[in-house]
Amino acid sequence: DEGAAALGEGLMRNGTLARLTLSSNAIGPAGAAALAVGLEGHRSLRSLSLADNILEGAAGCEAARSLLLAPSCLERLWLGGNALGPAAADALVPAPPGSAQLTSLWLERAGVGGAGSRVAQLLAPTSVLCHLWLGGNGLSDDAALALARALAGNSTLLKLWLEHNLITLAGARPLLAAAVNGGSLTQLTLEGNDLTADGCAELEAAAADSNVRLRARREERLAETHDADSDRISERPPTGG
């Protein structure tokens, strides 16, 4: 946290940095809060990765919220691999105008499964998210149904990753229907959920003549991710599990 605090102070004096990658360190809530202070009024930092640190529980969620509320031009935020817990679904709702307006949010393996349907708050009407990663969170059908309702009225989200959760066909059907029948979604990733081969075939048939690229089968296992060190969406083989 001392290092993050120093970086926060440095941001106050820097007007050119566009990307800051601090993944896999030992940054906790105090360090993230210090970075939020440094972000206030920063006009160039658009990408921040705090993935796989020690932002945990209520304090971690509060610090994450402070990153959004800081008046800045931050667009891409990586928080995956932090044990934020279900409260992250409340903490990371879209910030009001004048604050950070995220277009990409990586929230994989963040323990948000207990939030259930509240996870759909991430796609509130004021959201401008284009890419949302929610893989490996233990999300079940109640979350899928809520996300389906949110997608029906969403006009910005392009890609949604929900791989390795607990979604069954009962949740996947309406989720895909919402994507196919309206909105802006072009890719839906569901591999590694509780879907049988027949269920995957049904979903693939439903998506066949649409603009939505569906990934549902476990054997596809090619994870698509965003590289925090670039501005590209790239595909890479999974690194484990």
Side-chain angles (χ1 to χ4, degrees), residues 88-163:
D90 304 306
L92 296 171
V93 296
S99 306
Q101 300 297 301
L102 296 184
T103 59
S104 296
L105 176 60
W106 187 51
L107 206 56
E108 289 185 341
R109 300 176 288 106
V112 301
S117 61
R118 300 201 326 273
V119 74
Q121 295 176 137
L122 299 173
L123 296 177
T126 55
S127 170
V128 293
L129 281 176
C130 298
H131 305 110
L132 177 59
W133 286 261
L134 289 170
N137 275 301
L139 295 169
S140 54
D141 288 341
D142 56 348
L145 292 170
L147 286 167
R149 291 190 292 269
L151 283 175
N154 182 279
S155 61
T156 63
L157 193 70
L158 299 175
K159 297 186 178 185
L160 176 60
W161 288 263
L162 288 165
E163 70 275 18

Side-chain angles (χ1 to χ4, degrees), residues 54 66 90 97 125 133 140 143 157 173 180-181 190 197-198 212 232:
I54 52 173
S66 69
D90 304 306
W133 286 261
S140 54
L157 193 70
R173 278 191 188 118
V180 167
N181 295 325
L190 291 171
D198 287 344
V212 179
R232 298 191 309 274

Side-chain angles (χ1 to χ4, degrees), residues 1-160:
D1 280 348
E2 290 181 6
L7 283 169
E9 292 177 3
L11 285 173
M12 296 179 190
R13 300 186 295 271
N14 177 283
T16 60
L17 189 67
R19 291 189 298 270
L20 180 58
T21 302
L22 297 170
S23 307
S24 302
N25 285 291
I27 298 171
L35 288 169
V37 173
L39 275 174
E40 292 184 7
H42 202 282
R43 305 319 303 170
S44 65
L45 190 70
R46 285 177 164 76
S47 178
L48 173 62
S49 177
L50 289 171
D52 299 302
N53 277 282
I54 52 173
L55 296 171
E56 300 176 348
C61 288
E62 183 177 351
R65 184 65 180 165
S66 69
L67 291 168
L68 295 192
L69 293 178
S72 72
C73 58
L74 188 66
E75 297 173 351
R76 297 178 289 277
L77 181 61
W78 281 261
L79 293 171
N82 290 285
L84 291 168
D90 304 306
L92 296 171
V93 296
S99 306
Q101 300 297 301
L102 296 184
T103 59
S104 296
L105 176 60
W106 187 51
L107 206 56
E108 289 185 341
R109 300 176 288 106
V112 301
S117 61
R118 300 201 326 273
V119 74
Q121 295 176 137
L122 299 173
L123 296 177
T126 55
S127 170
V128 293
L129 281 176
C130 298
H131 305 110
L132 177 59
W133 286 261
L134 289 170
N137 275 301
L139 295 169
S140 54
D141 288 341
D142 56 348
L145 292 170
L147 286 167
R149 291 190 292 269
L151 283 175
N154 182 279
S155 61
T156 63
L157 193 70
L158 299 175
K159 297 186 178 185
L160 176 60

